[in-house]
Amino acid sequence: MPRRSRRFTGNLDSDDEPPVTRRRTRGSSPRKAVNEVDSKVLLKRTDDKALAFTSVDLHLQENRKDHRTSDYEIDGLIVRRGQAFTLSVTLDKEYNSNDRLIVQFATGKEPKESKFGIVRLPVSSTSSQVSDPEIWRAELTSSAERDVTISVTPSVDAIIGRYRLFIETQTESQDGLVLVYRDEVEDGLYVLFNVWCPDDQVYMETEDQRQEYVLNDKGRIWVGSTDNYGPRPWNFGQFEDVCLEAALHVLDLAEVTGGARANPVHITRALSGWVNNMDEETGVLWGRWTEDWPKKCTKPWEWSGSVAILDEYMQTKKAVQFGQCWVFSGVITTLSRALGLPTRSVTNFESAHDMDSSMTMDLHWDKNDEPVEADNDSTWNFHVWNESWFKRPDLPSGYHGWQAYDATPQEASVPNVALKNRKYFMKGQFCCGPFPLKAVKEGSLFYPFDGGFIFAEVNGDKIHWEVQDDGSLKFLYKEPMAIGKLISTKAVGSTSREDITNEYKYQEGSDEERRAVKNAYRFSSRKEYKIYDTSGIKDVEFDFRLPKAAMIGEDFDVSLDIRSTSSEPRTVQAKISLMVAYYTGTPGDRIKGQGFEAEVLGGEATQFVVSVSNDEYEDILKHDAYIQVYVKAHVKETKQVFVGQKSFLLVKPGLRIEVPDEFQVGESFDMTITFTNPLKVKLTGTRFHIEANSITKGMVVPIRKHVQPGADITETVTLTPRRSGRKEIVVTVSSDQLDGQPTSAEIYVKYSS
C-alpha cells in the first residue's frame, strides 16, 4: 500500500519522522513534485518546478560485493558501517553546482535526530582529506547532466538495523525563493557491524578469523563428556532470508533503541535475554530439561541448525519448542553473525551451575555416605555458551577481545546499577553477560556483567559438605581442579577442536590460578567458611576410573584405585553409587550402590570395582545417555576423606548418509540415510531431521514402521539446492527410546549458467 503523502515546508524538525511527499518504485514514471518554499525565506507557492529525482540506483551487486554481503538472501542493499557505498541519482533536469542535495537516513519506529535515529547528510562536492570516522559522510563523486553519483559512508558507530532512505533537493527559484523537494526511495537499506573496519568496535585483525566468525555459515558445537566428547554439526545459516530479520525483530522486542543499538555490549546482552523465553512469551526458544515431552514438539536433540527454528519463530512470533544449551548457543551464533558481530559457540566440559553465588560448586552428603541431591549445585557434563569479539570502552583498558555471554536460562542476572533503567538490563532477567575473558581469568568479578556466575562455571572449586543432624554444614573435601575442562570451540578454517581453556584460566594448580580463585572467593556468599585453610594427614591417594567408550546396550565397570604412601597400614571404607543422569548433572533413577572395606599396607595399592550390566540401566536410561558416579571414602586411622562425583557418556549409534559429490543449482538429487538400532527393544516413532543451507530450512522424515532390535532402517529423500558453493547437510535421528549421533555430509553445488 502506498504511503500517504504529506507536504513539507521548510527544514525537517530534528525530532520529527522524515516527511514523505510520495513513495515511488525505482524506475517508475515521475510524478509532479510538491513545490514548497523554505519557511525561513517565505511560505509561498511559486510556479517554478523544484528539482526532483526520477530514479535511484543503489548499485546492489557492486555494493554488496564490496561489503561482503552478497550471500544474504534478503533483497535490497546491505552494507557495513565505516565503509563507503555508492548510489546514483537521476534527476528530472540538469544538476548544477547551485543545487543542494541532501541524503537522509532514518531508523527505528519513531526516529529522532537527538537519539541518532535520523541522519541528514548534505552532499559535499569536495572530498574531505581528514574525516572523523564517527561522523556519517556523503560526497559527490561525479555529475553529468541529470545524473549524479554519491559516495556515502556510515559512521563506525552507526546504529545497526534497517534504514529508510530519502533524497532531498533544495533549488533557488528565479525570484529568489528556495524550493524544497523530498521523496523516499522505495528500497531502504540495512547497516551491519564491520569486522573489517579498524575503527569499528568489533574489528578483528586477521582475515581468517573474519571469515570464520562472521562469514562461515556452518560449524561444530562440542558435546559429550571429558572422556567421550565430539563435534555436533550445526547449520548456522546466517545468510538465509529469515535470519537477519529475526535478529532485528529480537532487538525490537528487547527495546534496544538509539545509541544502544550501535553498541555490541547492549546488543549481546539483549540477545542473551530474549533468545530464551523465560521472561517473556515472545522470546525465540523455550528451554526444557525434563523426561516427558509434549506431543508435536521438536526435542532439543532433534534440531540440526538454527534456520528451521528461526523460520518457525518468524512465522508464528511465538517461542519455539524446545531448546537446550547447544541449541540456544547455535541460535545466538546465527543471529550475531547475521548482524556482522564476530561470534563463536564455546563448550565447557564439567561446567558448574552455581545457584547461590558462592563462587564454588557445592555438593552435600548425609552421614550414610549418600549424596543429598536436593541441596546440590549441579555440574553439567558440558555447557555451551557464546563469545563475541569487541572492544569494551566501558571498562578499564585491557578487557577488549572475546566477551562471554549465555542465552541458556539458568539464573537471573544482576545488572550494573547504572544500566538498570533499560528493559533488557533489569534485575531478574534470565540473561548472562557479556563479560571479558581476561576478567574471568584474573578473578576480577566486579565488572559488568555476571562475572561471578561465569567464573564459577569454569574455575570454581568443587566443595563437598556433610549435612549434620541440625542442618548445619561440615566441610569435608575440596576438589580444586574438577571444574572447567577442555573448553572448546571450532578451530578457524577447519572442523577440528581448538582448546581455549587457557583463555579462561591459568594452568590448574599454578600460583596465578590459585590467586584468581581466592580473589573471586572474596565475592562469595559463603566466604565465612574457611575452605582454603585446611590441613591434616593425607597419605592415601584415590582415583576412580570410568569407561571411555562403552556403547549403549553394553555392560561396563567403574573402579576406585587406592594407593597408600604411608609406612603404616591404612583401613579404607568406601561406597560407590551410580545413577542415570541428564547432561546437566541432574540425576535420575538409581542404578545401584556398593560398599567396600579393605586394609592397604604401606606403599601398596588395591582396587574396588563395581560391575553394571545392560539390564540394570537400559529401562531407566535417559535420552542424554549419561551415567553419574558418586564415591565417598574414609581412612579410619587419619580421618582422611575422599569424595568425588563424575559422569560419563555411553556411546550413541551414528548415521550413514550417501550423497553425490557435486551437482548444479536447481538440480535435484537423492540422499540415502541408514540407521541401525543397537538396543534389545524395538524403536518406535523414529524420525530423521535434515537441515542444509540454501537447500532445506528443515525437513522431518517420519519412519512409519517400527525398527526391530539390530535392524537397519534406510530412507531416501530428494533435495534441490538453491545457491552455489560448498554446502553441508546435517542429519539427526530420534525415536521414543533413543536418539542417535548427528551426521553430516559436505557437497559442492556448481553454478548453473
Side-chain angles (χ1 to χ4, degrees):
M1 179 180 295
R3 187 184 301 276
R4 179 177 297 177
S5 300
R6 72 173 182 177
R7 299 175 60 186
F8 169 58
T9 57
N11 293 329
L12 176 72
D13 187 324
S14 62
D15 283 342
D16 281 344
E17 182 181 350
V20 183
T21 54
R22 62 182 59 86
R23 189 176 175 116
R24 183 172 64 252
T25 303
R26 186 177 59 228
S28 63
S29 300
R31 302 177 185 175
K32 185 176 180 180
V34 177
N35 298 328
E36 295 174 347
V37 183
D38 190 331
S39 60
K40 292 183 179 179
V41 182
L42 179 66
L43 296 179
K44 176 182 177 181
R45 291 296 303 271
T46 74
D47 294 332
D48 293 324
K49 181 182 180 182
L51 182 66
F53 70 86
T54 60
S55 66
V56 175
D57 185 355
L58 298 180
H59 298 279
L60 293 181
Q61 186 173 353
E62 298 91 337
N63 283 328
R64 286 179 59 143
K65 180 179 179 182
D66 290 344
H67 286 252
R68 301 171 180 84
T69 59
S70 298
D71 287 336
Y72 284 88
E73 291 187 349
I74 290 179
D75 294 331
L77 181 58
I78 305 174
V79 301
R80 302 187 188 276
R81 64 187 192 179
Q83 181 177 341
F85 64 91
T86 299
L87 57 89
S88 296
V89 181
T90 299
L91 304 168
D92 64 350
K93 59 184 178 180
E94 187 172 349
Y95 171 80
N96 66 66
S97 58
N98 292 324
D99 297 325
R100 190 179 185 208
L101 285 175
I102 297 172
V103 182
Q104 182 167 290
F105 300 90
T107 185
K109 293 181 179 179
E110 298 180 355
K112 298 179 184 296
E113 191 168 357
S114 60
K115 302 297 183 183
F116 313 106
I118 294 175
V119 180
R120 286 174 53 80
L121 303 176
V123 178
S124 172
S125 59
T126 58
S127 178
S128 175
Q129 298 298 318
V130 179
S131 59
D132 185 347
E134 296 183 358
I135 297 176
W136 286 65
R137 303 191 306 278
E139 298 173 350
L140 183 68
T141 57
S142 68
S143 64
E145 298 181 349
R146 296 188 300 118
D147 297 319
V148 296
T149 302
I150 303 168
S151 175
V152 177
T153 305
S155 68
V156 295
D157 57 358
I159 290 172
I160 303 303
R162 306 178 201 86
Y163 284 77
R164 295 164 63 192
L165 170 60
F166 300 83
I167 303 295
E168 177 182 324
T169 66
Q170 296 180 6
T171 308
E172 187 173 344
S173 68
Q174 293 180 354
D175 55 2
L177 298 178
V178 177
L179 308 177
V180 178
Y181 171 93
R182 181 185 298 122
D183 205 352
E184 182 177 2
V185 178
E186 178 73 17
D187 302 319
L189 71 157
Y190 298 82
V191 177
L192 310 179
F193 289 109
N194 193 351
V195 76
W196 287 268
C197 177
D199 294 311
D200 197 307
Q201 197 172 339
V202 305
Y203 172 69
M204 299 189 87
E205 292 185 353
T206 62
E207 181 62 21
D208 57 348
Q209 288 184 314
R210 300 167 188 156
Q211 293 288 328
E212 180 68 47
Y213 300 129
V214 176
L215 298 185
N216 195 352
D217 59 1
K218 54 187 179 295
R220 298 291 184 273
I221 299 176
W222 263 257
V223 298
S225 64
T226 54
D227 294 321
N228 180 19
Y229 57 86
R232 185 183 185 98
W234 194 262
N235 170 37
F236 296 124
Q238 67 266 31
F239 303 121
E240 299 277 325
D241 55 3
V242 71
C243 296
L244 179 55
E245 291 292 354
L248 299 177
H249 177 72
V250 170
L251 295 182
D252 288 342
L253 290 176
E255 300 180 6
V256 185
T257 60
R261 192 106 166 208
N263 189 332
V265 176
H266 297 243
I267 286 177
T268 54
R269 186 157 175 82
L271 290 176
S272 79
W274 285 77
V275 165
N276 71 68
N277 199 51
M278 283 294 291
D279 298 291
E280 303 287 342
E281 293 186 359
T282 48
V284 176
L285 263 174
W286 282 108
R288 190 178 179 99
W289 290 264
T290 63
E291 187 171 357
D292 300 320
W293 299 86
K295 293 182 178 180
K296 296 184 179 180
C297 75
T298 303
K299 303 178 184 70
W301 50 85
E302 295 175 338
W303 299 112
S304 52
S306 307
V307 179
I309 296 169
L310 295 174
D311 189 55
E312 179 180 338
Y313 173 67
M314 291 300 286
Q315 287 187 41
T316 65
K317 296 300 191 298
K318 294 180 180 179
V320 177
Q321 300 175 336
F322 288 100
Q324 291 179 358
C325 69
W326 70 93
V327 184
F328 286 111
S329 176
V331 171
I332 283 282
T333 299
T334 298
L335 297 177
S336 297
R337 289 185 183 180
L339 296 171
L341 186 59
T343 302
R344 62 190 186 185
S345 291
V346 173
T347 302
N348 177 40
F349 292 96
E350 295 297 311
S351 186
H353 179 179
D354 178 18
M355 295 187 289
D356 61 357
S357 300
S358 65
M359 308 300 169
T360 56
M361 169 62 192
D362 298 300
L363 299 177
H364 303 79
W365 301 78
D366 63 23
K367 291 189 174 182
N368 296 318
D369 297 338
E370 290 287 342
V372 184
E373 285 296 337
D375 296 338
N376 285 349
D377 291 331
S378 60
T379 301
W380 295 32
N381 288 277
F382 70 92
H383 180 49
V384 189
W385 58 75
N386 291 90
E387 294 171 5
S388 287
W389 178 279
F390 50 86
K391 297 176 183 176
R392 291 296 299 266
D394 57 318
L395 301 181
S397 62
Y399 293 105
H400 299 332
W402 290 114
Q403 313 288 322
Y405 59 111
D406 192 350
T408 301
Q410 296 182 87
E411 298 295 326
S413 176
V414 180
N416 181 284
V417 174
L419 297 171
K420 68 181 180 180
N421 59 309
R422 290 202 171 275
K423 183 173 183 178
Y424 48 94
F425 286 106
M426 290 179 65
K427 183 176 181 180
Q429 178 104 11
F430 277 86
C431 59
C432 182
F435 193 74
L437 268 59
K438 177 66 180 302
V440 177
K441 189 171 185 175
E442 299 291 345
S444 300
L445 308 183
F446 36 83
Y447 299 122
F449 296 92
D450 306 304
F453 187 82
I454 296 172
F455 179 89
E457 287 183 300
V458 301
N459 207 15
D461 287 346
K462 187 180 287 189
I463 308 299
H464 296 266
W465 307 87
E466 186 175 80
V467 182
Q468 304 302 296
D469 293 337
D470 61 0
S472 62
L473 298 179
K474 175 185 176 183
F475 171 76
L476 279 179
Y477 188 75
K478 175 172 86 271
E479 293 183 82
M481 294 184 286
I483 298 298
K485 303 289 187 181
L486 301 169
I487 304 178
S488 307
T489 191
K490 177 187 171 298
V492 173
S494 78
T495 57
S496 61
R497 184 183 74 91
E498 179 184 357
D499 193 304
I500 57 172
T501 307
N502 64 352
E503 296 187 31
Y504 281 87
K505 57 184 179 180
Y506 292 101
Q507 180 68 34
E508 291 278 19
S510 67
D511 291 343
E512 295 89 347
E513 188 264 346
R514 288 291 88 193
R515 185 162 50 248
V517 171
K518 292 180 180 179
N519 188 33
Y521 196 66
R522 294 185 297 121
F523 301 90
S524 171
S525 60
R526 288 188 176 181
K527 57 182 177 291
E528 71 274 12
Y529 291 91
K530 305 303 181 182
I531 63 173
Y532 292 103
D533 299 326
T534 59
S535 59
I537 299 174
K538 298 177 182 178
D539 55 12
V540 177
E541 298 173 351
F542 297 88
D543 182 29
F544 66 100
R545 301 178 182 274
L546 308 178
K548 291 182 180 290
M551 291 286 297
I552 288 180
E554 293 181 347
D555 303 341
F556 60 84
D557 293 338
V558 172
S559 63
L560 176 64
D561 294 338
I562 304 168
R563 181 177 178 274
S564 173
T565 60
S566 172
S567 59
E568 301 176 0
R570 294 292 185 238
T571 304
V572 178
Q573 292 178 324
K575 187 171 187 178
I576 301 176
S577 303
L578 295 93
M579 299 181 181
V580 297
Y582 300 94
Y583 87 96
T584 58
T586 303
D589 297 313
R590 182 182 179 88
I591 300 174
K592 67 191 308 183
Q594 192 168 331
F596 303 88
E597 181 172 337
E599 183 179 75
V600 186
L601 300 178
E604 294 190 357
T606 190
Q607 184 182 66
F608 298 155
V609 178
V610 177
S611 297
V612 180
S613 69
N614 171 63
D615 293 338
E616 291 178 288
Y617 70 81
E618 183 178 70
D619 291 341
I620 59 174
L621 189 66
K622 308 304 179 186
H623 274 273
D624 303 53
Y626 284 94
I627 305 295
Q628 196 143 281
V629 184
Y630 300 83
V631 174
K632 188 177 180 185
H634 306 261
V635 180
K636 280 188 175 181
E637 291 79 6
T638 63
K639 309 301 181 185
Q640 179 185 347
V641 175
F642 170 79
V643 186
Q645 176 254 317
K646 291 182 181 180
S647 299
F648 66 93
L649 174 66
L650 294 171
V651 179
K652 298 180 180 181
L655 293 163
R656 302 186 298 279
I657 56 179
E658 297 178 7
V659 293
D661 292 333
E662 62 179 42
F663 33 82
Q664 292 185 340
V665 171
E667 177 185 353
S668 297
F669 66 93
D670 288 339
M671 177 176 68
T672 302
I673 311 168
T674 303
F675 177 70
T676 302
N677 177 11
L679 301 183
K680 297 178 181 179
V681 297
K682 64 184 179 183
L683 301 183
T684 59
T686 305
R687 301 169 298 282
F688 294 125
H689 303 261
I690 306 166
E691 186 170 322
N693 292 330
S694 305
I695 298 177
T696 177
K697 291 180 179 178
M699 177 186 295
V700 179
V701 181
I703 307 303
R704 303 299 180 188
K705 61 182 180 180
H706 298 163
V707 185
Q708 298 300 320
D712 287 345
I713 184 69
T714 299
E715 192 74 18
T716 299
V717 297
T718 301
L719 303 171
T720 306
R722 305 191 304 272
R723 292 163 52 206
S724 62
R726 293 203 172 275
K727 308 297 176 184
E728 185 173 38
I729 305 172
V730 183
V731 184
T732 63
V733 62
S734 64
S735 70
D736 298 332
Q737 294 76 23
L738 176 71
D739 64 288
Q741 185 69 22
T743 305
S744 67
E746 190 171 85
I747 59 175
Y748 181 71
V749 182
K750 296 185 294 185
Y751 178 75
S752 178
S753 57

